[in-house]
Amino acid sequence: MASLSASLLTHFLVLSLFLSVAVGKYHKCKGDTTVYHFVINKYRADLTQAQVDTVLSHYVDLTNGDWRVKQFIWGKDLGPEVEDKTDGFEYGYLTTLCGRQETIDYLNAPATKAFAAEFFPASEKAIAVNYIVNHTFPSKGYGTSGKCGPCNLLGKKP
């Protein structure tokens, strides 16, 4: 049951981040191969905020320094007073890349591997998921309310 709730939470958070990206500037890659590299984590309790901030700054530096990264956003959970369904995950990171191979190359780059060697040990728990963005559902009318951000930005009507 715990793995099911973690899976549902992950998919809910991914959808939430997709929608938040749709409201802002949306990067669409050629051939509908936009990939979201989505990570959520909880830092170890023994880390100071300064140590967490250092890891966060290294994550930003990593994404700013890699030409494959088209967009990077991150944020901290608003806390249980807003919604208590995070299963303890505190931070979310969304990296936009173009294509499966570009994603594989980014994840296997020496700088990314060096950062992962810092990030994952600093995390009590973490989940990383890679999705190719699906642009077909809005055109079929699934779950659209006429306010589909990606549809509007792509020039499609829901």
Side-chain angles (χ1 to χ4, degrees):
M1 186 62 142
S3 66
L4 176 60
S5 83
S7 175
L8 291 174
L9 169 68
T10 301
H11 288 87
F12 173 77
L13 290 172
V14 168
L15 178 60
S16 297
L17 278 172
F18 284 160
L19 294 175
S20 70
V21 169
V23 173
K25 183 179 178 185
Y26 182 129
H27 184 88
K28 183 176 182 296
C29 302
K30 292 179 183 175
D32 288 340
T33 59
T34 304
V35 175
Y36 286 155
H37 172 66
F38 174 65
V39 178
I40 56 175
N41 81 314
K42 176 180 182 176
Y43 287 102
R44 291 190 342 252
D46 63 326
L47 295 181
T48 66
Q49 187 59 51
Q51 290 171 311
V52 169
D53 290 347
T54 297
V55 175
L56 289 170
S57 71
H58 291 165
Y59 206 158
V60 171
D61 291 345
L62 169 69
T63 59
N64 282 337
D66 194 307
W67 64 270
R68 291 171 284 245
V69 174
K70 307 308 180 212
Q71 183 178 30
F72 176 72
I73 58 173
W74 69 274
K76 187 172 182 186
D77 181 64
L78 295 175
E81 65 278 0
V82 175
E83 184 174 42
D84 194 16
K85 301 200 182 297
T86 64
D87 197 30
F89 290 98
E90 300 172 318
Y91 291 85
Y93 317 87
L94 185 66
T95 306
T96 305
L97 301 130
C98 287
R100 181 181 307 267
Q101 190 59 50
E102 214 170 84
T103 303
I104 292 168
D105 293 346
Y106 166 75
L107 294 174
N108 288 305
T112 306
K113 288 187 176 261
F115 174 71
E118 173 188 17
F119 178 80
F120 288 105
S123 299
E124 180 179 315
K125 57 184 177 176
I127 297 173
V129 184
N130 299 286
Y131 288 93
I132 292 180
V133 179
N134 188 331
H135 298 288
T136 61
F137 289 124
S139 68
K140 297 198 179 281
Y142 297 136
T144 60
S145 64
K147 298 179 182 176
C148 176
C151 305
N152 297 334
L153 293 168
L154 294 173
K156 296 181 181 179
K157 294 183 180 183

